[in-house]
Amino acid sequence: MATAETRDALVAGAMATLREKGHAHASAREIAGRAGCNQALIFYHFGSVERLLLAALDRVAELRRERYQALVDESRNLKELVAAARTVFEEDLELGHTAVLVEMIAAAQANAALRPEVAERLRPWRGFAADALRGTPAARLGPPEELAHGVVAMYLGLELLAVLDDDPAPAAALFERADSLATLLDLFSLRRRS
Amino acid sequence: MATAETRDALVAGAMATLREKGHAHASAREIAGRAGCNQALIFYHFGSVERLLLAALDRVAELRRERYQALVDESRNLKELVAAARTVFEEDLELGHTAVLVEMIAAAQANAALRPEVAERLRPWRGFAADALRGTPAARLGPPEELAHGVVAMYLGLELLAVLDDDPAPAAALFERADSLATLLDLFSLRRRS
DNA sequence: CTCGGATTTGAGCGAGTGCTCAAGAACGGG
DNA sequence: CCCGTTCTTGAGCACTCGCTCAAATCCGAG
């Protein structure tokens, strides 16, 4: 088999394993089993399991970027652009991209060497959210990067909770009440304003 | 040593390990080392490492409940009560309680048997946030349990991100702009309203 | 003190891990 | 066809894991 095909199969296996079994069970033998090849190939092609998992994270970011570009190209005005941003985030949740991200972030806590690598690969997420805000009315409320931090945090948290009681209903209901949640957050800032 | 003392030492060791090294490194030998005793004691007193970690989660919830009760007793009106809610959440982040919670939730994804146990112990968090909202002006915006889901999700997400680029500044700045974030979320709900 | 149950210990088992390595298979240019 | 490079394989090493167990220790009641 060509190198590219084997690499793709391994990356796909790594993505699926991270999504379904989590980082703790993303062993070389498990991933290779899903890819239908020998576990030694991971070390031949990627050098270590960790590098393969980071390659999987890169692949998720790439898929995400392509989808984002397509939606942006379709948008004809600011309102549609903002809608596109929300669509991409919701699709991330459905496709398991957020799950892969959460797994790698959680693993990075226990591994100092992994931390900057994951942080670097998270930048597109924040950057994407910030881009969607730049030039919109929301931008006057604060630096887009700062606001984007909160948006990304909420999506990561929703993924964690969704995994827990495998019922997407609460998250979906939340999206339907996004304006209510906004008012709620205003309420939580009472202390500072009083 | 008395049974209670040994159990307390092991629970404290488990909490510290979860906070600083994460679930993946919360092994029997590591925890027992922090507690200053033999690893076999974990199985004698708790039956398994997993049960000890759940006991640690219970302990965090207990500490949290005590702090909450104290703040509620001090509150003299609705505004102070809401401020107390926010204080408890922020203290959770500082004390590492949220980190313990995030670790256990992430671990529960890979372990179906662990999932309901963690979900049950998460209920106080959601319940606490919901209680703080019940009877307040925010309650008319939607079921308090639903709004509480979003609040808890955001705090969990902030913990994940704070670990990543070990800089608490973004989260702190976000709290200072809680009203801005609220407006931002309104903006993200544009699609449904347009 | 003696005794007996509760507690603690260190050694060790079987399983799973990341990773290496020598050997074989596949493939493509000469 | 042949040969050299690239790719793949299964065995295996050193390590850590959760957990068990027999033996040692502690400690309070009688």
Side-chain angles (χ1 to χ4, degrees):
Chain A
M1 203 188 304
T3 292
E5 295 173 33
T6 304
R7 285 183 63 103
D8 285 351
L10 285 172
V11 166
M15 282 172 56
T17 306
L18 277 177
R19 232 185 294 128
E20 298 167 23
K21 299 288 184 76
H23 180 279
H25 290 74
S27 68
R29 287 164 177 85
E30 164 78 26
I31 295 172
R34 285 174 187 257
C37 66
N38 190 281
Q39 50 88 26
L41 284 181
I42 290 174
F43 305 96
Y44 178 78
H45 286 291
F46 294 92
S48 72
V49 173
E50 207 170 273
R51 281 177 193 272
L52 168 56
L53 296 180
L54 287 174
L57 203 49
D58 283 334
R59 176 73 180 133
V60 166
E62 185 190 344
L63 288 173
R64 184 176 208 281
R65 177 171 188 80
E66 289 171 4
R67 177 65 177 142
Y68 172 46
Q69 198 54 248
L71 281 175
V72 165
D73 291 344
E74 285 177 10
S75 301
R76 286 160 309 181
N77 53 46
L78 183 60
K79 191 180 285 187
E80 288 185 6
L81 197 69
V82 172
R86 183 168 152 180
T87 297
V88 172
F89 270 105
E90 290 184 27
E91 285 182 356
D92 279 338
L93 288 176
E94 287 167 17
L95 296 173
H97 292 171
T98 317
V100 171
L101 197 54
V102 165
E103 280 300 322
M104 292 300 289
I105 294 176
Q109 179 183 19
N111 186 337
L114 194 60
R115 214 167 296 151
E117 302 273 7
V118 175
E120 184 188 355
R121 284 162 177 83
L122 180 64
R123 215 169 297 155
W125 263 259
R126 277 149 96 160
F128 164 71
D131 283 349
L133 295 170
R134 218 180 306 276
T136 71
R140 65 179 165 78
L141 303 172
E145 293 80 6
E146 214 170 79
L147 302 177
H149 191 85
V151 172
V152 172
M154 199 184 63
Y155 274 86
L156 293 177
L158 287 176
E159 171 66 27
L160 272 179
L161 292 180
V163 160
L164 203 56
D165 44 33
D166 58 8
D167 175 16
L174 213 63
F175 289 135
E176 292 303 311
R177 291 186 196 274
D179 48 348
S180 304
L181 178 61
T183 313
L184 170 70
L185 289 171
D186 274 335
L187 211 143
F188 260 85
S189 67
L190 256 186
R191 192 180 58 173
R192 183 172 61 86
R193 280 186 279 171
S194 65
Chain B
M1 203 188 299
T3 293
E5 295 173 32
T6 303
R7 286 182 63 103
D8 285 351
L10 285 172
V11 167
M15 283 171 56
T17 306
L18 277 177
R19 231 184 296 126
E20 298 166 24
K21 298 290 185 74
H23 181 279
H25 290 75
S27 68
R29 289 166 177 85
E30 164 78 27
I31 295 173
R34 286 173 187 257
C37 66
N38 191 282
Q39 50 89 25
L41 285 181
I42 290 174
F43 305 95
Y44 178 79
H45 286 291
F46 293 90
S48 72
V49 172
E50 207 170 271
R51 280 177 193 271
L52 168 57
L53 295 180
L54 287 174
L57 202 49
D58 284 335
R59 177 73 182 133
V60 166
E62 186 190 342
L63 288 172
R64 185 175 206 281
R65 178 171 188 79
E66 288 171 3
R67 178 64 176 143
Y68 173 47
Q69 198 53 249
L71 281 175
V72 165
D73 291 344
E74 286 176 8
S75 301
R76 287 160 308 181
N77 54 46
L78 183 60
K79 191 178 286 188
E80 288 185 5
L81 197 68
V82 172
R86 182 168 153 177
T87 297
V88 171
F89 270 105
E90 291 186 27
E91 285 182 356
D92 278 338
L93 290 175
E94 288 167 17
L95 295 173
H97 292 172
T98 317
V100 171
L101 198 52
V102 164
E103 281 300 323
M104 291 302 287
I105 294 176
Q109 179 183 18
N111 186 338
L114 194 60
R115 216 167 295 151
E117 303 272 9
V118 175
E120 184 188 356
R121 285 163 177 83
L122 180 65
R123 215 169 295 154
W125 263 260
R126 277 149 96 160
F128 163 71
D131 283 348
L133 294 171
R134 218 181 306 277
T136 71
R140 67 179 164 77
L141 302 173
E145 294 81 5
E146 214 170 79
L147 302 178
H149 192 86
V151 172
V152 172
M154 198 185 65
Y155 275 86
L156 292 177
L158 287 177
E159 170 65 28
L160 273 177
L161 292 180
V163 161
L164 203 56
D165 44 32
D166 58 9
D167 176 15
L174 212 63
F175 289 135
E176 292 303 312
R177 293 184 194 274
D179 49 348
S180 304
L181 178 62
T183 313
L184 170 69
L185 289 171
D186 273 335
L187 210 141
F188 260 86
S189 67
L190 256 186
R191 192 181 58 171
R192 184 171 63 85
R193 279 186 278 170
S194 66

